[in-house]
Amino acid sequence: MSAAPSSVPAPQLPHFDAPAYRAAFSRINGLVIVGEGMADRHFRRLAALLPEQRDELLRLGAMEGRHAVDFAGCGRHLEVRPDNALARRLLAPLHEQFLEAERQGDLVGCLVIQCLIIECFAVAAYRLYLPVADAYARPITAAVLRDEAEHLNFGEQWLRPRFAAVAERVEACAGRAVPVALAMLSALEADLRAIGIEPQELVAEFVVEFQAALEAIGYGAREARRLLNRLTARALS
Ligand SMILES: [Fe+2]
Ligand SMILES: [Fe+2]
Protein backbone atom coordinates (compact mmCIF):
# COMPACT_ATOMS: atom_id res chain seq x y z
CA MET A 1 0.00 0.00 0.00
CA SER A 2 1.52 3.31 -0.99
CA ALA A 3 1.19 6.53 0.98
CA ALA A 4 -1.06 9.26 -0.40
CA PRO A 5 0.96 11.83 -2.32
CA SER A 6 1.53 15.05 -0.39
CA SER A 7 0.11 18.21 -1.98
CA VAL A 8 3.26 20.12 -0.97
CA PRO A 9 6.23 19.05 -3.08
CA ALA A 10 9.36 18.26 -1.10
CA PRO A 11 12.02 20.92 -1.64
CA GLN A 12 14.97 20.03 -3.81
CA LEU A 13 17.75 19.34 -1.32
CA PRO A 14 21.15 20.89 -2.06
CA HIS A 15 24.21 18.74 -2.75
CA PHE A 16 25.78 18.91 0.70
CA ASP A 17 29.17 17.71 -0.48
CA ALA A 18 29.45 20.04 -3.51
CA PRO A 19 32.33 22.54 -3.15
CA ALA A 20 29.99 25.52 -3.81
CA TYR A 21 27.65 24.36 -1.04
CA ARG A 22 30.49 23.83 1.41
CA ALA A 23 32.03 27.25 0.69
CA ALA A 24 28.68 29.00 1.17
CA PHE A 25 27.91 26.91 4.27
CA SER A 26 31.19 27.92 5.85
CA ARG A 27 30.18 31.59 5.68
CA ILE A 28 26.54 31.05 6.72
CA ASN A 29 27.54 28.64 9.50
CA GLY A 30 30.12 31.18 10.74
CA LEU A 31 27.47 33.90 10.83
CA VAL A 32 25.11 31.62 12.76
CA ILE A 33 27.75 30.54 15.31
CA VAL A 34 29.10 34.06 15.88
CA GLY A 35 25.54 35.46 15.89
CA GLU A 36 24.46 32.96 18.56
CA GLY A 37 27.52 33.78 20.65
CA MET A 38 26.73 37.48 20.29
CA ALA A 39 23.14 36.83 21.37
CA ASP A 40 24.48 35.01 24.45
CA ARG A 41 26.56 38.09 25.38
CA HIS A 42 23.67 40.44 24.69
CA PHE A 43 21.40 38.50 27.04
CA ARG A 44 24.05 38.54 29.76
CA ARG A 45 24.35 42.32 29.35
CA LEU A 46 20.56 42.62 29.43
CA ALA A 47 20.59 40.60 32.67
CA ALA A 48 22.81 43.27 34.22
CA LEU A 49 20.51 46.04 32.94
CA LEU A 50 17.35 44.35 34.21
CA PRO A 51 18.26 42.88 37.61
CA GLU A 52 14.66 41.95 38.44
CA GLN A 53 14.65 39.55 35.45
CA ARG A 54 18.27 38.55 35.78
CA ASP A 55 17.75 34.80 36.16
CA GLU A 56 15.40 34.59 33.21
CA LEU A 57 17.76 36.58 30.98
CA LEU A 58 20.75 34.46 32.01
CA ARG A 59 18.70 31.37 31.15
CA LEU A 60 17.93 32.80 27.69
CA GLY A 61 21.60 33.66 27.21
CA ALA A 62 22.63 30.13 28.12
CA MET A 63 20.23 28.82 25.47
CA GLU A 64 22.04 31.00 22.88
CA GLY A 65 25.37 29.61 24.03
CA ARG A 66 24.04 26.10 23.44
CA HIS A 67 22.79 27.09 19.99
CA ALA A 68 26.30 28.25 19.10
CA VAL A 69 27.72 24.89 20.22
CA ASP A 70 25.03 22.92 18.37
CA PHE A 71 25.50 24.82 15.10
CA ALA A 72 29.27 24.44 15.40
CA GLY A 73 28.51 20.71 15.54
CA CYS A 74 26.57 21.04 12.26
CA GLY A 75 29.68 22.53 10.60
CA ARG A 76 31.85 19.75 12.02
CA HIS A 77 29.38 17.15 10.77
CA LEU A 78 29.83 18.46 7.20
CA GLU A 79 33.57 18.87 7.83
CA VAL A 80 33.29 22.56 7.02
CA ARG A 81 35.30 25.15 8.91
CA PRO A 82 33.13 28.19 9.75
CA ASP A 83 34.35 31.58 8.52
CA ASN A 84 34.12 33.26 11.91
CA ALA A 85 36.31 36.21 10.94
CA LEU A 86 33.93 37.27 8.18
CA ALA A 87 30.98 36.73 10.52
CA ARG A 88 32.51 38.99 13.17
CA ARG A 89 33.03 41.69 10.54
CA LEU A 90 29.46 41.38 9.27
CA LEU A 91 27.91 41.37 12.74
CA ALA A 92 30.04 44.19 14.15
CA PRO A 93 27.74 47.09 13.15
CA LEU A 94 24.71 45.49 14.82
CA HIS A 95 26.72 44.60 17.93
CA GLU A 96 28.08 48.16 18.01
CA GLN A 97 24.53 49.53 17.96
CA PHE A 98 23.67 47.30 20.93
CA LEU A 99 26.73 48.52 22.85
CA GLU A 100 25.95 52.13 21.97
CA ALA A 101 22.37 51.73 23.27
CA GLU A 102 23.82 50.18 26.44
CA ARG A 103 26.24 53.11 26.88
CA GLN A 104 23.34 55.54 26.50
CA GLY A 105 21.37 53.63 29.15
CA ASP A 106 18.83 52.86 26.41
CA LEU A 107 17.40 49.58 27.68
CA VAL A 108 14.57 49.78 25.12
CA GLY A 109 17.13 50.02 22.31
CA CYS A 110 19.02 46.98 23.65
CA LEU A 111 15.80 44.96 23.85
CA VAL A 112 14.67 46.01 20.37
CA ILE A 113 18.02 45.06 18.80
CA GLN A 114 18.37 41.66 20.47
CA CYS A 115 14.86 40.50 21.32
CA LEU A 116 12.96 41.88 18.34
CA ILE A 117 15.30 42.44 15.38
CA ILE A 118 17.92 39.72 15.86
CA GLU A 119 15.37 37.18 17.07
CA CYS A 120 12.99 37.94 14.16
CA PHE A 121 15.89 37.43 11.76
CA ALA A 122 16.86 34.21 13.50
CA VAL A 123 13.31 32.86 13.36
CA ALA A 124 12.94 33.84 9.69
CA ALA A 125 16.32 32.39 8.67
CA TYR A 126 16.00 29.12 10.61
CA ARG A 127 12.45 28.60 9.34
CA LEU A 128 13.66 28.86 5.73
CA TYR A 129 16.77 26.76 6.42
CA LEU A 130 14.80 23.94 8.04
CA PRO A 131 13.42 22.35 4.81
CA VAL A 132 16.81 22.52 3.04
CA ALA A 133 19.02 21.50 5.98
CA ASP A 134 20.96 18.23 6.02
CA ALA A 135 19.57 15.41 8.14
CA TYR A 136 21.98 16.15 11.02
CA ALA A 137 21.19 19.89 11.15
CA ARG A 138 17.41 19.57 10.76
CA PRO A 139 16.38 18.48 14.31
CA ILE A 140 18.90 20.93 15.79
CA THR A 141 17.42 23.78 13.73
CA ALA A 142 13.87 22.79 14.69
CA ALA A 143 14.76 22.87 18.41
CA VAL A 144 16.60 26.20 18.08
CA LEU A 145 13.62 27.69 16.24
CA ARG A 146 11.38 26.92 19.24
CA ASP A 147 13.88 28.61 21.58
CA GLU A 148 14.15 31.77 19.44
CA ALA A 149 10.37 32.18 19.54
CA GLU A 150 10.67 32.22 23.34
CA HIS A 151 13.34 34.94 23.17
CA LEU A 152 11.20 37.05 20.88
CA ASN A 153 8.35 36.60 23.32
CA PHE A 154 10.47 37.92 26.19
CA GLY A 155 11.03 41.22 24.36
CA GLU A 156 7.37 41.51 23.38
CA GLN A 157 6.17 40.85 26.94
CA TRP A 158 8.51 43.50 28.35
CA LEU A 159 7.73 46.18 25.76
CA ARG A 160 3.96 45.68 25.48
CA PRO A 161 2.81 47.15 28.83
CA ARG A 162 5.14 50.12 28.26
CA PHE A 163 4.14 50.74 24.65
CA ALA A 164 3.13 54.40 24.91
CA ALA A 165 6.36 55.28 26.69
CA VAL A 166 8.69 53.30 24.42
CA ALA A 167 7.15 53.55 20.90
CA GLU A 168 9.31 56.47 19.85
CA ARG A 169 12.52 54.74 20.94
CA VAL A 170 11.43 51.46 19.29
CA GLU A 171 11.06 53.29 15.97
CA ALA A 172 14.31 55.21 16.30
CA CYS A 173 16.20 52.03 17.13
CA ALA A 174 14.54 49.94 14.41
CA GLY A 175 15.26 52.76 11.95
CA ARG A 176 18.98 52.30 12.61
CA ALA A 177 19.20 48.56 13.17
CA VAL A 178 16.92 47.03 10.52
CA PRO A 179 18.82 48.56 7.54
CA VAL A 180 22.10 47.36 9.09
CA ALA A 181 20.70 43.84 9.49
CA LEU A 182 19.43 43.86 5.90
CA ALA A 183 22.80 45.05 4.60
CA MET A 184 24.43 42.10 6.36
CA LEU A 185 22.00 39.82 4.63
CA SER A 186 22.63 41.29 1.20
CA ALA A 187 26.36 40.62 1.69
CA LEU A 188 25.45 36.92 1.89
CA GLU A 189 22.86 36.79 -0.91
CA ALA A 190 24.80 34.40 -3.14
CA ASP A 191 25.65 32.14 -0.19
CA LEU A 192 22.04 31.99 0.96
CA ARG A 193 20.98 30.91 -2.54
CA ALA A 194 23.73 28.29 -2.62
CA ILE A 195 22.40 26.64 0.53
CA GLY A 196 18.81 26.74 -0.74
CA ILE A 197 17.43 29.95 0.80
CA GLU A 198 16.01 32.64 -1.49
CA PRO A 199 17.18 36.01 -0.05
CA GLN A 200 13.98 37.84 -1.03
CA GLU A 201 11.96 35.15 0.75
CA LEU A 202 14.09 35.67 3.84
CA VAL A 203 13.38 39.40 3.78
CA ALA A 204 9.67 38.65 3.33
CA GLU A 205 9.70 36.17 6.24
CA PHE A 206 11.53 38.71 8.42
CA VAL A 207 8.89 41.32 7.55
CA VAL A 208 6.12 38.90 8.57
CA GLU A 209 7.86 38.16 11.88
CA PHE A 210 8.71 41.77 12.65
CA GLN A 211 5.21 42.93 11.73
CA ALA A 212 3.81 40.37 14.20
CA ALA A 213 6.29 41.52 16.87
CA LEU A 214 5.32 45.18 16.37
CA GLU A 215 1.65 44.27 16.66
CA ALA A 216 2.37 42.19 19.76
CA ILE A 217 3.89 45.21 21.50
CA GLY A 218 0.97 47.49 20.65
CA TYR A 219 1.18 48.79 17.08
CA GLY A 220 -1.90 48.67 14.86
CA ALA A 221 -1.49 46.50 11.76
CA ARG A 222 -1.46 49.46 9.37
CA GLU A 223 0.96 51.47 11.45
CA ALA A 224 3.33 48.49 11.73
CA ARG A 225 3.18 47.91 7.98
CA ARG A 226 3.95 51.56 7.27
CA LEU A 227 6.96 51.48 9.58
CA LEU A 228 8.23 48.27 7.99
CA ASN A 229 7.74 49.56 4.44
CA ARG A 230 9.91 52.49 5.32
CA LEU A 231 12.62 50.31 6.86
CA THR A 232 12.77 47.64 4.15
CA ALA A 233 12.22 49.84 1.07
CA ARG A 234 15.82 49.47 -0.04
CA ALA A 235 16.31 45.84 0.98
CA LEU A 236 18.33 43.90 -1.59
CA SER A 237 17.60 46.48 -4.30
FE1 LIG B 1 19.77 31.36 19.36
FE1 LIG C 1 17.54 33.87 20.50
Side-chain angles (χ1 to χ4, degrees):
M1 200 170 74
S2 63
S6 159
S7 57
V8 182
Q12 183 82 44
L13 284 180
H15 297 288
F16 301 113
D17 49 3
Y21 182 91
R22 295 164 57 80
F25 190 84
S26 118
R27 290 182 285 271
I28 302 287
N29 188 233
L31 188 81
V32 166
I33 294 165
V34 174
E36 293 288 356
M38 184 179 87
D40 177 6
R41 294 199 302 284
H42 287 174
F43 274 111
R44 279 188 273 134
R45 287 175 175 273
L46 280 165
L49 293 173
L50 262 175
E52 67 275 21
Q53 305 217 43
R54 184 176 177 275
D55 290 349
E56 174 67 353
L57 285 159
L58 290 177
R59 186 179 72 83
L60 302 186
M63 289 161 92
E64 306 287 27
R66 278 196 299 278
H67 297 167
V69 171
D70 288 349
F71 281 124
C74 294
R76 268 199 309 280
H77 176 78
L78 292 179
E79 295 178 0
V80 169
R81 187 196 293 264
D83 190 341
N84 290 346
L86 172 71
R88 274 192 289 273
R89 264 201 317 280
L90 289 174
L91 285 163
L94 209 48
H95 181 51
E96 253 321 305
Q97 286 195 8
F98 181 96
L99 295 179
E100 179 57 24
E102 187 188 30
R103 276 193 292 273
Q104 308 274 330
D106 179 9
L107 170 63
V108 172
C110 291
L111 280 166
V112 169
I113 291 171
Q114 178 55 48
C115 293
L116 297 194
I117 295 171
I118 295 177
E119 298 295 352
C120 280
F121 257 113
V123 167
Y126 296 151
R127 188 170 291 149
L128 294 189
Y129 174 56
L130 192 57
V132 291
D134 64 87
Y136 180 88
R138 202 168 306 146
I140 291 172
T141 307
V144 169
L145 199 42
R146 286 190 291 274
D147 290 351
E148 309 302 10
E150 193 179 331
H151 303 167
L152 183 53
N153 190 255
F154 178 92
E156 292 170 352
Q157 296 299 319
W158 195 92
L159 292 163
R160 185 180 178 80
R162 302 166 176 88
F163 179 64
V166 303
E168 211 174 297
R169 268 180 297 158
V170 170
E171 283 170 46
C173 175
R176 285 190 298 272
V178 169
V180 161
L182 290 171
M184 182 180 73
L185 193 154
S186 66
L188 292 171
E189 262 183 75
D191 292 330
L192 286 164
R193 267 193 207 100
I195 69 159
I197 295 176
E198 192 49 50
Q200 287 291 1
E201 253 179 69
L202 178 48
V203 174
E205 192 72 32
F206 167 73
V207 167
V208 168
E209 282 302 317
F210 200 53
Q211 163 100 22
L214 289 172
E215 288 181 39
I217 68 172
Y219 281 92
R222 238 195 337 209
E223 228 178 330
R225 207 168 310 122
R226 214 175 302 133
L227 174 60
L228 265 161
N229 284 343
R230 218 168 59 225
L231 297 179
T232 59
R234 287 185 303 276
L236 306 181
S237 62

